[in-house]
Amino acid sequence: MKRLPLIAALTLAGITSATHAADLIDAWQAALARDPEIAAARALHEQATFRQEQAKALWAHMVSAGGAVGIGGADSRTKGAEAMDQSDVTFKTNVNAGALTRASIGAQKAWISPEREAQSKQLELSAQIVQTQWQQAQQALIMRTAQRYFDVVGAEQTLSVLQRQQKAMQQAAAEISKRQSVGDASVMDVQEANARVSEIRAQVLTHENNLANKKVAYRQLTGQEPTQLLPIGNINLTPPNLADANTWVQRAKQQSPSLQMMGLQQAIQGQEAKRIKAGNAMTVNWVAQAQMDRLSGQGMYGSASNQTAQYMVGIQLNAPLSTGGMVESREREALKQVEKLRYDQEAVEQQIEQQVRDAWQSLSTAQARLQALSQSEQASKARLTSTRQAHRTGARTTNELLGAEHDAAQAELALVQLRIQTAMEQLRLSAASGELGEAQLRQVNALLK
């Protein structure tokens, strides 16, 4: 018996979950957990730490050890030696074939190396690029989620308006057919009505297919069925205290992930030019080495063995004398690439400025346009009501009635589309200026009712 309350609670929870109206935040959180593009960007983002570690490792101690065994030989002669109080002594040793063993260990640390310095900065800059790419991927997911969410909402509202228009036209066509049967309407009126009914039926079928496709795209992104998505409410959609266009443009130039990435790519290419130039630079390394060789076997003078040990601690200098002009040529080529990237960045900066100004202009006038379309919708509905009444008395033609039905539906659809466009423009403006994040998404989510 104790299981009954639990079952009831689970059933109620299931019903509550099934009837929960989804919003933008729900969709975004679901997409964040399953979208393959953001998963790939997250994996790339985690590489930043490794690149920073590699940059530090370039200046760390490098230690190596080695050993060898095999068959070897040796022939040595030493003159002018002194032994047993005798001077000018000559020593000869010879091993034709014998057992050879060798062991060595060495350590090295870069001290002065322009090439390693350039490589280290390249790795650090590439880690910053990865961070910027992650920010870009997050913003792209927000835009993609919002677009697919509003695609479904817009398609549902459009289909709903067209279905109501279809029902009204079917009723009008049926009424006109009755009136024609008693001689109160012409055959042309009936034909006109039937043609309009067929036309709206084709539009409804087209938008049903469109809605099905939009739902599939939403489900692929979020893994959820797009049921009961909240539409945009009839409220003020313009953000409060909207800054002027020049302020938004300045923000975009300073914060845009695209511009930041291009600046980092330019810096990396500049370091590449330095790395190439370092081919002509002197390098200095701290070094420590030790090696021991042991050889024993038979030679010209009988059984012999030889053991040598060498070691050193100090600095090692390397200074290239000539590269035949190869390094200079490659450096000039790399510097030209830096120049190209600078011009590319200027071009992208102009594009982003235009995008920001377009979004700002659309957003700043959105409320006035929404009010105008709302008034147009109300006027269209009022005109439709009066046209219906006048048509019943014969004061308006069938074509005028059907035209009024069409105009009222189009006015409602235009208002729906502008609301969605205004919400998306808020996100586009934030994205272009590099400020798009969860906070901005929640601001747009607050417009849903």
Side-chain angles (χ1 to χ4, degrees), residues 120-168:
S120 177
K121 290 182 179 179
Q122 282 182 316
L123 287 168
E124 292 173 354
L125 290 168
S126 67
Q128 295 180 38
I129 283 185
V130 169
Q131 298 283 356
T132 306
Q133 288 174 330
W134 172 239
Q135 180 187 1
Q136 229 177 7
Q138 290 177 303
Q139 292 185 355
L141 180 64
I142 290 176
M143 293 300 301
R144 196 160 61 249
T145 302
Q147 188 64 64
R148 295 193 184 182
Y149 181 96
F150 286 126
D151 281 347
V152 174
V153 170
E156 286 179 339
Q157 292 181 315
T158 299
L159 182 60
S160 176
V161 171
L162 292 177
Q163 287 174 336
R164 282 191 279 108
Q165 184 184 3
Q166 181 185 28
K167 184 177 180 180

Side-chain angles (χ1 to χ4, degrees), residues 46-60:
E46 293 169 356
Q47 296 179 13
T49 302
F50 304 130
R51 296 186 184 182
Q52 291 170 344
E53 292 174 355
Q54 293 169 27
K56 294 178 181 178
L58 286 172
W59 299 97

Side-chain angles (χ1 to χ4, degrees), residues 208-313:
E208 284 176 346
N209 293 335
N210 181 60
L211 175 58
N213 292 333
K214 300 302 184 185
K215 286 185 174 182
V216 169
Y218 178 91
R219 187 167 57 249
Q220 288 176 339
L221 180 64
T222 64
Q224 299 176 349
E225 290 294 333
T227 55
Q228 296 185 334
L229 300 186
L230 293 175
I232 298 178
N234 186 16
I235 57 178
N236 187 354
L237 302 181
T238 304
N241 303 322
L242 181 66
D244 61 86
N246 292 331
T247 301
W248 281 99
V249 169
Q250 190 63 27
R251 290 178 186 174
K253 290 182 178 180
Q254 294 174 352
Q255 302 173 169
S256 168
S258 297
L259 291 177
Q260 289 179 355
M261 189 175 302
M262 297 193 76
L264 290 170
Q265 289 172 344
Q266 191 179 142
I268 287 177
Q269 187 61 32
Q271 292 300 322
E272 177 64 13
K274 291 182 179 180
R275 188 192 69 80
I276 293 172
K277 184 180 181 180
N280 279 335
M282 179 185 68
T283 61
V284 181
N285 298 328
W286 293 103
V287 294
Q289 299 173 350
Q291 179 175 316
M292 184 183 72
D293 290 352
R294 180 178 178 82
L295 176 64
S296 61
Q298 296 294 322
M300 294 174 60
Y301 311 107
S303 178
S305 66
N306 186 15
Q307 180 174 314
T308 61
Q310 298 177 353
Y311 53 87
M312 69 89 67
V313 176

